[in-house]
Amino acid sequence: MSELYEKLRPHIERQFALDCALTLYSWDNETLAPKDAMENTAKIIGTLSAQAYGALVNDEVRTLLASLREPKEFDVLSSVEQSIVKKLNKNFDRLEKIPANEYRAYSELTAKAGSIWAKAKTENDFAAFAPSLKEIVSYQKKFAAYTKKPEMSLYDAMLDENEEGILTRELDIFFEKIKETVVPLLKKVVAKNDTVNKDYNSRHFPVERQKEFCRFLAEYIGFDFNRGVMAESAHPFTTNLHNHDVRITNHFYENNLESAMFSVIHEGGHALYELGVDDALTLTPVGGGTSMGVHESQSRFYENILGRSEAFWKPLFGKLQENYPEVLSGVDLKDFIRGINKAEPGPIRTEADELTYPLHIIIRYEIEKMLMEDLISVDELPRVWNEKYKEYLGVTPKNDTEGVLQDVHWSGGAFGYFPSYAIGNAVAAQIYAYMHNEVNVKECLEKGNLIPIREYLREHIHCFGSTKNMNELLIAMTGEPLNAEYYTKYLTEKYTKLYLE
Amino acid sequence: MSELYEKLRPHIERQFALDCALTLYSWDNETLAPKDAMENTAKIIGTLSAQAYGALVNDEVRTLLASLREPKEFDVLSSVEQSIVKKLNKNFDRLEKIPANEYRAYSELTAKAGSIWAKAKTENDFAAFAPSLKEIVSYQKKFAAYTKKPEMSLYDAMLDENEEGILTRELDIFFEKIKETVVPLLKKVVAKNDTVNKDYNSRHFPVERQKEFCRFLAEYIGFDFNRGVMAESAHPFTTNLHNHDVRITNHFYENNLESAMFSVIHEGGHALYELGVDDALTLTPVGGGTSMGVHESQSRFYENILGRSEAFWKPLFGKLQENYPEVLSGVDLKDFIRGINKAEPGPIRTEADELTYPLHIIIRYEIEKMLMEDLISVDELPRVWNEKYKEYLGVTPKNDTEGVLQDVHWSGGAFGYFPSYAIGNAVAAQIYAYMHNEVNVKECLEKGNLIPIREYLREHIHCFGSTKNMNELLIAMTGEPLNAEYYTKYLTEKYTKLYLE
């Protein structure tokens, strides 16, 4: 046992507890808090954030971490302790460069901005959100300038926060490869797609029945309601407090069958990741998923690779039909599978099919890059957004609500996050390509037993929390680091088989 | 502006933010958290509690408070600041006597005990709860011993925490007076009560319709859903985070019309108190209701004095009938008023009528006193409980679930709290007797406009938060301190008029 580590432990506990309280606040704000609470609540969040900052950035922790960097001290730590110390070093080095008062003001700002954005979106009023967004962008740039490595651009520093080492240089190549495949493939598919009739999707699906079916789906993929809950929010998301308390939300539309169903499978995938973290890691700084990209690989694996496959629905489609008597009669499994995979360029990312989805991400990536390089201003965002949608998807949002205001991310300061969705798709496809060696995925799905799939992911990814990074996980599982080929191959094969043969 | 106070301010903010986070955790645990989360969550709560303790009990605060006790420093403070400093002194003096590690362990213990109690209650298994209860009792005694004034008994110290200065000496007299009135009155009323048929109350009332009606009732009495929310929990309760975020819960039974309806009026009364606290006080240590007794005076004023009166239901009864088509036809307003006021000795406090209610409190008061004076042990509680119910109410609980396990309070360490319910009744009756001078309560109720009533209470009680104590408020409003006569007179007149004339 390391004496130094034992001295560090209460600091770790304090910071973790404060972070956890902030997570609970954020959950509560998204799901329940009354609308006029935010002004006061933001002050409380600011104060708690300042305490979380101070729990890490203080002289005692600085001294302890410095001593623990010495090999003779570091080497005697257990491997979990080593991971924690490494993570703390990283967090400490970053955080101490940000002035405490700015950190606190930024926390208050983003706590408030969520409801300002939500109101602006409802009222189609970008101008009402723009002042907050300008402040957030300005803080983001300042923080990136404080913390970035000398060779990095500001946007690279933000990307690095989300997926270590996957910067614009890597992403430019990555997205180029995706474009090369997706743009021509999409053209061909769309030409055939018109024959796919998915009118059924906008029939009437009572919300209470949707809720029941979504609850069933969550359990079906392996979500444990003794260790998690499901609630509602404007946008579906997942929150984890620890590995025995993981929460997903959903949003229900009476005239949309797919939306809530695929959201629950998506968020369920995130949740399985957090529920699968080892007990020895939870309640520590390495107790959550390792990166946004790996997180999205789990959610999008469940949502798309499993959830939009025929094998997944084979044992379930009858139950789905029964859940909406008459509404789905006359739709057979084949129609349904073609329906849920229909590629249709549209303005909304979260409603996008698997093929147009990466184009939504590329648009955001390019816009964020321009914004952070000062090539465009916040005020120009609506125009640039619409131009990019025209260019990549051939659609023009009919207003800012379905355009630049559609996503919550920027209101929380999540710049550099969007690429994670595309990275996640690629990681998922790569894992999927190798998973077959150990698990007969198709058979599991057709038999309605998804546990072996969850267990495979738990054993190779989930249990490690953030003690290993994306490429360490991928190399251990697949023998190679991130390789976009698997993703482009997966899309090509899937869509060729569905519509082009 | 006081320099010393400005130095104190960040300490106050830190402690308040931590307390608020703990309140949010407690809300979350009661309403939503998954059942297997508690083991981990209790550790987080323990850590946060220790930080809240340390945010107040530290050398810097000690020095600042000591300096601020000097008249030349204290006198220059604003009156709000003076109230805050007084409250902090009180909290500091108490808390510093409790060792930090015990405070933390106790916080963890009570965080966990709630779910242990809930399970024990469901499973009618007192033995499963007894070990936790023993630990809690033992901590309560220790803390009381640390903090009490020399002349106080342990139980007096606990009572003093809930209602300053209302100790066993006062309560013995208070309860004696109530018994003198209630016991003979109840006998007479029960003899006549048999003629009151309230079979309608156990008909079928769909939960969704109950929820709608309860939401309506909350708004009707003045609850603002922009500054509050309503959720569900095993036992109805009210939580306040600040004066723009006040939360009430309810519990719905399909075959009980009254339960949820009177709960929402009761919790609504608590909530109006917290919503009415002045903006200058919220987010400070004097930003909540002043005491448990005054809090219960507000809830029980709304629930009983207003909510069980004929004038209250005159404009509402038609709407209630419409809400449950056919189920309530054949019941007229007079029947209903006699029904909701029917005095029936029963085993459950929260379902008790206004006349038997104080007897439930007296039972708990006597039991707590014996327990804290070591006259009985935790293991003897079920037996003593049942004996007291036989003695005071002539009923024997059919098991511990409806006996000693019925209330949540002890699992949270709330000893000395129960008398607040009776004090609240008495305060409410006293306020009511004087309120007539300024507000025509009957006319407000009959016209369906309850705002003048809320405004009266806001102006004379709510706005002050805890800057004034119970007797200061009462003297300002009624010219005298707490006087139980108003309560016994109110009960006698009400029940005589209803059943004995």
Side-chain angles (χ1 to χ4, degrees):
Chain A
M1 207 175 76
S2 154
E3 234 178 81
L4 284 175
Y5 188 84
E6 291 312 308
K7 281 189 190 156
L8 190 61
R9 193 188 293 278
H11 295 277
I12 299 173
E13 284 173 2
R14 277 198 285 275
Q15 208 219 349
F16 184 82
L18 287 160
D19 280 344
C20 218
L22 286 162
T23 305
L24 184 63
Y25 259 109
S26 148
W27 161 267
D28 188 78
N29 288 336
E30 298 287 337
T31 56
L32 187 70
K35 90 180 177 41
D36 291 351
M38 198 28 88
E39 199 68 29
N40 283 340
T41 303
K43 288 183 196 156
I44 296 165
I45 289 173
T47 310
L48 290 171
S49 300
Q51 289 182 84
Y53 177 99
L56 180 63
V57 181
N58 62 60
D59 290 340
E60 222 176 316
V61 171
R62 188 194 319 272
T63 311
L64 287 166
L65 285 176
S67 308
L68 281 163
R69 280 177 205 206
E70 301 293 322
K72 75 169 183 346
E73 297 292 349
F74 188 79
D75 294 348
V76 299
L77 299 178
S78 73
S79 68
V80 169
E81 288 166 356
Q82 289 183 343
S83 299
I84 291 171
V85 168
K86 274 192 224 164
K87 183 74 179 275
L88 280 182
N89 274 323
K90 196 182 156 196
N91 293 349
F92 185 94
D93 290 347
R94 177 172 189 274
L95 218 52
E96 74 158 346
K97 292 179 188 133
I98 299 174
N101 60 336
E102 292 185 15
Y103 186 81
R104 178 186 181 142
Y106 176 72
S107 304
E108 268 192 55
L109 172 66
T110 48
K112 271 188 270 193
S115 49
I116 295 170
W117 161 79
K119 190 161 178 277
K121 180 177 174 178
T122 306
E123 297 172 359
N124 184 34
D125 184 3
F126 180 75
F129 177 49
S132 303
L133 186 55
K134 282 176 194 170
E135 276 194 82
I136 293 170
V137 168
S138 143
Y139 271 113
Q140 278 287 319
K141 285 182 183 169
K142 261 202 281 191
F143 291 178
Y146 294 143
T147 60
K148 77 186 189 64
K149 293 183 193 133
E151 70 276 14
M152 281 183 186
S153 71
L154 296 181
Y155 190 47
D156 273 344
M158 297 172 203
L159 291 168
D160 200 46
E161 273 301 294
N162 286 284
E163 197 62 62
E164 204 175 349
I166 310 290
L167 312 182
T168 44
R169 199 182 48 195
E170 286 76 18
L171 285 173
D172 287 343
I173 299 168
F174 175 76
F175 284 129
E176 209 42 60
K177 270 192 198 157
I178 291 173
K179 272 195 255 179
E180 274 167 25
T181 303
V182 167
V183 173
L185 181 61
L186 180 62
K187 260 197 198 131
K188 280 192 263 179
V189 168
V190 168
K192 297 270 186 166
N193 247 219
D194 284 351
T195 61
V196 178
N197 179 350
K198 58 181 291 185
D199 291 353
Y200 65 85
N201 190 54
S202 51
R203 289 178 191 157
H204 183 253
F205 303 94
V207 165
E208 282 309 312
R209 294 198 151 265
Q210 288 197 50
K211 284 186 189 170
E212 261 173 58
F213 197 78
C214 284
R215 196 181 157 94
F216 160 77
L217 278 176
E219 283 187 321
Y220 185 78
I221 66 168
F223 184 80
D224 178 354
F225 278 96
N226 289 326
R227 295 167 67 168
V229 299
M230 203 156 83
E232 285 180 67
S233 64
H235 281 247
F237 69 94
T238 303
T239 287
N240 68 302
L241 293 154
H242 48 69
N243 73 353
H244 281 61
D245 192 344
V246 179
R247 301 170 177 205
I248 58 181
T249 72
N250 210 338
H251 192 85
F252 298 93
Y253 303 92
E254 229 172 28
N255 293 303
N256 190 331
L257 172 62
E258 284 179 15
S259 177
M261 234 164 45
F262 288 104
S263 286
V264 77
I265 304 175
H266 178 99
E267 303 306 333
H270 281 302
L272 293 181
Y273 190 175
E274 297 293 345
L275 287 167
V277 170
D278 199 276
D279 282 339
L281 304 179
T282 199
L283 302 184
T284 81
V286 295
T290 194
S291 72
M292 297 308 145
V294 178
H295 238 300
E296 289 298 332
S297 81
Q298 300 306 289
S299 54
R300 301 190 68 77
F301 176 75
Y302 273 93
E303 177 192 350
N304 292 327
I305 297 183
L306 303 184
R308 294 185 197 267
S309 73
E310 188 169 337
F312 182 88
W313 286 101
K314 222 174 209 169
L316 290 183
F317 189 65
K319 190 178 163 74
L320 181 70
Q321 285 181 310
E322 276 165 33
N323 199 52
Y324 306 105
E326 296 174 29
V327 187
L328 290 182
S329 68
V331 181
D332 71 14
L333 178 58
K334 292 270 176 213
D335 298 337
F336 179 70
I337 298 304
R338 288 162 63 87
I340 60 178
N341 286 294
K342 184 174 183 178
E344 284 179 301
I348 309 290
R349 177 184 63 85
T350 54
E351 307 290 332
D353 57 88
E354 225 174 327
L355 199 51
T356 55
Y357 192 91
L359 301 176
H360 291 266
I361 299 307
I362 291 170
I363 290 169
R364 285 154 179 77
Y365 169 67
E366 293 183 356
I367 290 176
E368 287 188 351
K369 203 160 61 157
M370 289 193 290
L371 187 65
M372 294 307 163
E373 286 170 1
D374 286 327
L375 299 175
I376 55 170
S377 68
V378 165
D379 292 326
E380 289 173 288
L381 282 174
R383 178 182 56 75
V384 177
W385 185 280
N386 291 353
E387 285 168 6
K388 291 269 177 199
Y389 264 82
K390 188 79 198 155
E391 180 191 343
Y392 280 107
L393 285 155
V395 298
T396 306
K398 65 171 187 284
N399 52 38
D400 290 337
T401 299
E402 69 168 45
V404 69
L405 285 171
Q406 70 180 268
D407 290 313
V408 65
H409 303 59
W410 292 344
S411 75
F415 287 92
Y417 184 106
F418 284 116
S420 311
Y421 292 106
I423 295 168
N425 283 330
V427 172
Q430 184 168 343
I431 292 170
Y432 183 53
Y434 284 88
M435 185 191 266
H436 293 289
N437 300 333
E438 289 188 41
V439 183
N440 189 333
V441 177
K442 193 164 173 242
E443 194 184 283
C444 287
L445 294 176
E446 287 181 346
K447 284 193 173 160
N449 175 16
L450 276 68
I451 302 309
I453 299 172
R454 186 193 68 186
E455 290 309 301
Y456 177 86
L457 295 169
R458 182 166 283 184
E459 186 190 332
H460 291 88
I461 299 175
H462 304 175
C463 71
F464 297 113
S466 43
T467 60
K468 295 176 189 288
N469 71 21
M470 178 182 75
N471 276 334
E472 285 167 349
L473 291 169
L474 281 177
I475 290 168
M477 286 174 90
T478 72
E480 57 179 327
L482 181 63
N483 177 350
E485 299 284 326
Y486 293 98
Y487 178 42
T488 52
K489 196 164 161 247
Y490 160 80
L491 285 178
T492 307
E493 281 177 7
K494 175 169 180 172
Y495 277 88
T496 304
K497 192 161 169 253
L498 270 168
Y499 303 112
L500 304 177
E501 278 179 358
Chain B
M1 206 174 77
S2 154
E3 235 177 78
L4 284 174
Y5 189 83
E6 291 311 308
K7 281 188 192 157
L8 190 61
R9 194 189 292 278
H11 295 278
I12 298 173
E13 284 174 2
R14 276 198 286 275
Q15 208 219 350
F16 183 82
L18 287 160
D19 280 346
C20 216
L22 286 162
T23 305
L24 184 63
Y25 259 110
S26 148
W27 161 267
D28 189 79
N29 288 336
E30 297 287 337
T31 56
L32 187 70
K35 90 180 179 42
D36 291 352
M38 197 29 88
E39 199 68 29
N40 283 340
T41 303
K43 289 183 195 157
I44 295 165
I45 289 174
T47 310
L48 290 171
S49 301
Q51 289 181 85
Y53 177 99
L56 180 63
V57 181
N58 62 62
D59 290 340
E60 223 176 314
V61 171
R62 187 192 320 271
T63 310
L64 287 167
L65 285 176
S67 308
L68 281 163
R69 280 177 206 206
E70 299 294 323
K72 75 170 183 345
E73 297 293 348
F74 187 79
D75 294 347
V76 299
L77 299 178
S78 74
S79 68
V80 170
E81 288 166 355
Q82 289 182 342
S83 299
I84 291 171
V85 168
K86 273 193 224 162
K87 183 74 180 272
L88 280 182
N89 274 324
K90 195 181 158 197
N91 293 348
F92 185 94
D93 290 348
R94 176 171 189 274
L95 217 52
E96 75 158 347
K97 292 179 190 136
I98 299 174
N101 61 336
E102 291 185 14
Y103 186 81
R104 178 186 180 142
Y106 176 72
S107 304
E108 268 193 55
L109 172 65
T110 48
K112 271 188 272 195
S115 49
I116 295 169
W117 162 78
K119 191 161 178 277
K121 180 177 174 179
T122 306
E123 296 173 0
N124 185 33
D125 184 2
F126 181 75
F129 177 49
S132 303
L133 186 55
K134 282 177 195 170
E135 276 194 82
I136 292 169
V137 169
S138 141
Y139 271 112
Q140 277 286 321
K141 286 183 184 169
K142 262 202 280 191
F143 291 177
Y146 295 143
T147 60
K148 78 186 188 64
K149 294 184 193 133
E151 70 276 16
M152 282 182 186
S153 71
L154 296 181
Y155 190 48
D156 273 343
M158 296 172 204
L159 291 168
D160 200 46
E161 273 302 292
N162 286 284
E163 197 62 61
E164 205 176 348
I166 310 290
L167 312 183
T168 43
R169 200 183 45 195
E170 287 75 18
L171 284 173
D172 286 344
I173 299 167
F174 176 75
F175 284 129
E176 210 42 61
K177 271 193 198 157
I178 291 172
K179 271 195 259 180
E180 275 168 23
T181 302
V182 166
V183 172
L185 183 60
L186 180 62
K187 259 195 199 132
K188 280 191 262 177
V189 168
V190 167
K192 297 270 187 164
N193 247 216
D194 284 350
T195 61
V196 178
N197 179 351
K198 58 181 290 187
D199 290 352
Y200 65 84
N201 190 54
S202 52
R203 289 179 191 158
H204 183 254
F205 303 95
V207 166
E208 283 310 312
R209 294 197 151 266
Q210 288 196 50
K211 284 186 190 172
E212 261 174 58
F213 198 78
C214 283
R215 196 181 158 94
F216 159 77
L217 279 176
E219 283 186 321
Y220 185 77
I221 66 168
F223 184 80
D224 178 356
F225 278 97
N226 290 325
R227 296 167 68 168
V229 299
M230 203 156 84
E232 285 179 67
S233 63
H235 281 249
F237 69 94
T238 302
T239 287
N240 68 303
L241 294 154
H242 49 69
N243 74 352
H244 281 62
D245 192 344
V246 179
R247 301 171 178 205
I248 57 181
T249 72
N250 209 338
H251 193 84
F252 298 93
Y253 302 92
E254 229 172 26
N255 293 303
N256 190 331
L257 171 63
E258 284 179 17
S259 176
M261 235 164 44
F262 288 104
S263 286
V264 78
I265 304 175
H266 178 99
E267 302 307 332
H270 281 301
L272 293 181
Y273 191 176
E274 297 294 344
L275 287 166
V277 170
D278 199 275
D279 282 339
L281 305 179
T282 199
L283 303 184
T284 81
V286 295
T290 193
S291 71
M292 297 308 144
V294 178
H295 238 301
E296 289 299 332
S297 80
Q298 300 307 289
S299 54
R300 301 189 69 77
F301 176 74
Y302 273 93
E303 178 192 350
N304 293 328
I305 297 183
L306 303 184
R308 293 185 198 267
S309 73
E310 188 170 336
F312 182 87
W313 286 101
K314 221 174 211 171
L316 291 183
F317 188 64
K319 190 177 162 76
L320 180 70
Q321 285 181 308
E322 276 166 32
N323 200 53
Y324 306 107
E326 296 175 29
V327 185
L328 290 182
S329 67
V331 181
D332 71 15
L333 178 59
K334 293 266 176 215
D335 298 337
F336 179 70
I337 297 304
R338 287 163 64 87
I340 60 178
N341 286 295
K342 183 173 184 179
E344 283 179 301
I348 309 289
R349 177 184 62 84
T350 54
E351 307 291 333
D353 58 89
E354 225 174 327
L355 199 52
T356 54
Y357 193 90
L359 302 177
H360 292 267
I361 300 306
I362 291 170
I363 291 170
R364 285 154 179 78
Y365 169 68
E366 293 183 357
I367 290 175
E368 287 188 351
K369 204 161 60 156
M370 289 193 288
L371 188 65
M372 295 307 163
E373 285 171 1
D374 286 327
L375 299 175
I376 55 170
S377 69
V378 165
D379 292 326
E380 290 172 286
L381 283 174
R383 178 181 58 75
V384 177
W385 185 280
N386 292 352
E387 286 168 6
K388 291 269 176 199
Y389 263 82
K390 187 79 200 156
E391 180 190 344
Y392 280 106
L393 285 155
V395 297
T396 305
K398 66 172 186 283
N399 52 38
D400 290 337
T401 299
E402 68 167 46
V404 69
L405 285 171
Q406 71 181 265
D407 289 315
V408 65
H409 302 59
W410 292 344
S411 75
F415 287 92
Y417 184 106
F418 284 116
S420 312
Y421 293 106
I423 295 168
N425 282 330
V427 173
Q430 185 167 343
I431 292 169
Y432 183 53
Y434 284 88
M435 185 191 265
H436 293 288
N437 300 333
E438 290 188 41
V439 183
N440 189 332
V441 177
K442 192 163 174 242
E443 193 184 283
C444 287
L445 294 176
E446 287 181 346
K447 284 194 171 159
N449 175 16
L450 277 68
I451 302 308
I453 300 172
R454 186 193 68 188
E455 290 309 301
Y456 177 86
L457 295 168
R458 182 167 283 184
E459 186 190 333
H460 291 87
I461 300 176
H462 303 174
C463 71
F464 298 113
S466 43
T467 59
K468 294 175 189 290
N469 71 22
M470 180 182 75
N471 275 333
E472 285 167 349
L473 292 168
L474 281 176
I475 290 168
M477 286 174 90
T478 71
E480 56 180 327
L482 181 63
N483 177 350
E485 298 284 327
Y486 294 98
Y487 177 43
T488 51
K489 197 166 160 242
Y490 159 80
L491 284 178
T492 307
E493 282 177 6
K494 174 168 180 171
Y495 277 88
T496 304
K497 192 162 169 252
L498 270 169
Y499 303 112
L500 304 178
E501 278 180 357

